[in-house]
Amino acid sequence: GGNSGGGPQGGSGAASAAVAPGAPTLPLVAGRAGPRWRTLHRLSRHRSGMLGLAGLVMIALVALAGPRFLRYDPTAVDVLQKLQPPSAAHWLGTDYLGRDLLSRTVDGAHRSLGTAVIVGGVVMVISVGFGALAGVAGGSADAAIMRVVDVLLGLPGLVLALALVGTLGPSLGTLMLAL
């Protein structure tokens, strides 16, 4: 008949009728129509969004690979070079002990990113484990796990972190436990 493809018998569906002629569209690939892909598509249409995303990717790459390319040890003290302004030798200058600030910044970003990945992974494993246990066991096990979670959520995070640091002492392990 006279159907031009816009209805259910035409085979192309209602999606093609909603798109203006000449408008850019995403190809409909299986699994890519979810909210994550829609968000990325909307982000790709904004110059400031793409600039921000590029900046985040660059910071992550510097944090991951940067320590391998540093010229100076971030902890090396050189009092003869203290408080130097930015220069060709020290791009961000030096601190009051003569340590290179660029090296210290990149090293700090590397350690922070590593800590965040480890803490996120451990929290995910523990959370999925307890969630699966509560879901499978149900009943009193579920109620007990929920009461522990309620107590933890009722405590302010900063107070709990300070209590852990005060009890266990300042260290990277204590920080990871507190997070």
Side-chain angles (χ1 to χ4, degrees), residues 23-67:
T25 60
L26 280 178
L28 291 177
V29 178
R32 291 194 176 189
R36 182 176 302 148
W37 290 103
R38 284 192 300 262
T39 301
L40 284 175
H41 177 66
R42 280 197 329 244
L43 180 69
S44 70
R45 294 181 8 213
H46 297 284
R47 185 173 299 188
S48 60
M50 291 306 293
L51 187 63
L53 182 62
L56 286 175
V57 167
M58 203 147 130
I59 289 170
L61 288 175
V62 167
L64 289 172

Side-chain angles (χ1 to χ4, degrees), residues 20 43 64 68 87 132 162:
L43 180 69
L64 289 172
R68 290 171 185 74
S87 65
L162 289 173

Side-chain angles (χ1 to χ4, degrees), residues 23-140:
T25 60
L26 280 178
L28 291 177
V29 178
R32 291 194 176 189
R36 182 176 302 148
W37 290 103
R38 284 192 300 262
T39 301
L40 284 175
H41 177 66
R42 280 197 329 244
L43 180 69
S44 70
R45 294 181 8 213
H46 297 284
R47 185 173 299 188
S48 60
M50 291 306 293
L51 187 63
L53 182 62
L56 286 175
V57 167
M58 203 147 130
I59 289 170
L61 288 175
V62 167
L64 289 172
R68 290 171 185 74
F69 302 109
L70 295 176
R71 285 193 274 174
Y72 301 100
D73 179 12
T75 59
V77 175
D78 183 6
V79 291
L80 297 177
Q81 295 291 325
K82 69 179 185 175
L83 300 175
Q84 294 293 316
S87 65
H90 301 282
W91 289 4
L92 295 180
T94 61
D95 65 2
Y96 67 99
L97 293 175
R99 299 174 295 196
D100 183 64
L101 290 177
L102 177 63
S103 297
R104 293 182 60 77
T105 302
V106 171
D107 184 60
H110 179 75
R111 291 173 190 259
S112 296
L113 187 62
T115 301
V117 167
I118 290 170
V119 168
V122 169
V123 165
M124 184 182 71
V125 167
I126 291 171
S127 300
V128 167
F130 277 114
L133 177 66
V136 170
S140 59

